[in-house]
Each structure stands twice: as structure tokens, then as C-alpha cells.
Amino acid sequence: MARATLYVCMTCKAGQPVTEGALPPGAQLHAALTAGDPPEGVDIISVECLSACTQGCSVALTKAGAWGYVYGRLSPENAAEILDGAARYAASENGLVPWRERPEIFRKQSIARIPPLGASPAILTPNARKVSA
């Protein structure tokens, strides 16, 4: 099974001014997420920006052949829930973790769900009605 990657925005200021020399909230979140061992099958990678600036601290979850996600309004206090959600995502076949099995922050603080690269239209819109010309 493909490994999952948890990308963490390091430059996020969470809408707050950051004092000279202080760690931005995004870097604090990254530090909290990497303080221990990552969940099995998950790599944690820092990035400069996820362009979710109005959504506070943000992370993205991706893996080959799976739906990807962007989550926001996160803080270092959410580290345990984020790691739990990342582990569940990594263990999923296609990135679709059943709703009730997701941590609450992943249910309520999703910014975007991104289709797998190269996915067939049947996977992307399985319930869509076909429109004839």
C-alpha cells in the first residue's frame, strides 16, 4: 500500500502577528506533530505555504491513487487528532475514511477534497446522471 504524506504549512500565522524571532503557529504545529514517532505509513513533510491563509494552520494529506484532503483551523493542541486521522487515512485503500471513523476535526475542518490524479470519471462522479447531446 502507498505511503501517505502529511504536509504541514510552516509559514502559517493563523491570522495573528508573529513577534520577531518567534515560531509562527504553523511551525509550532509542525513541531507538535513531529515530537514523537509518526504513525505507521505516514511521512510528515513541512512546506512553505498551502495557500489556506484565511483558514489558520493547515495540513494536507495525500497518497498515490487516493483522494487528498486539506484541513484548516488547526493548532498544536490538535496534534494527536491529526496524527490519528493521518494513520486512518494511510490505512485506507483510496483515501476515503468512513465519516464516523474520522477524528472530529477532520469531519468539521475540511477545506478541500482533491480527486486522485488520473482518476476515471466513474470514480469522480459515480452518482451523476449522464447527459446526452
Side-chain angles (χ1 to χ4, degrees):
M1 188 173 296
R3 291 184 64 79
T5 302
L6 176 66
Y7 294 100
V8 184
C9 179
M10 294 287 286
T11 56
C12 183
K13 296 178 184 174
Q16 304 296 317
V18 177
T19 308
E20 177 90 21
L23 283 177
Q28 293 174 34
L29 175 60
H30 182 266
L33 291 168
T34 57
D37 292 330
E40 177 142 352
V42 177
D43 297 316
I44 301 173
I45 306 291
S46 62
V47 296
E48 283 232 4
C49 184
L50 289 173
S51 290
C53 302
T54 62
Q55 299 296 319
C57 292
S58 58
V59 301
L61 266 172
T62 64
K63 70 178 182 174
W67 286 84
Y69 294 87
V70 178
Y71 299 101
R73 300 176 309 280
L74 305 171
S75 70
E77 292 76 27
N78 302 126
E81 278 186 281
I82 295 167
L83 293 172
D84 176 49
R88 292 171 187 267
Y89 176 84
S92 73
E93 181 178 326
N94 57 8
L96 300 175
V97 177
W99 179 258
R100 294 193 189 280
E101 294 177 23
R102 298 176 196 171
E104 185 173 353
I105 59 169
F106 278 16
R107 284 184 260 150
K108 295 187 174 187
Q109 292 168 221
S110 177
I111 296 171
R113 184 171 93 156
I114 302 155
L117 186 61
S120 74
I123 291 172
L124 301 177
T125 54
N127 298 316
R129 286 184 275 153
K130 293 186 179 185
V131 179
S132 54

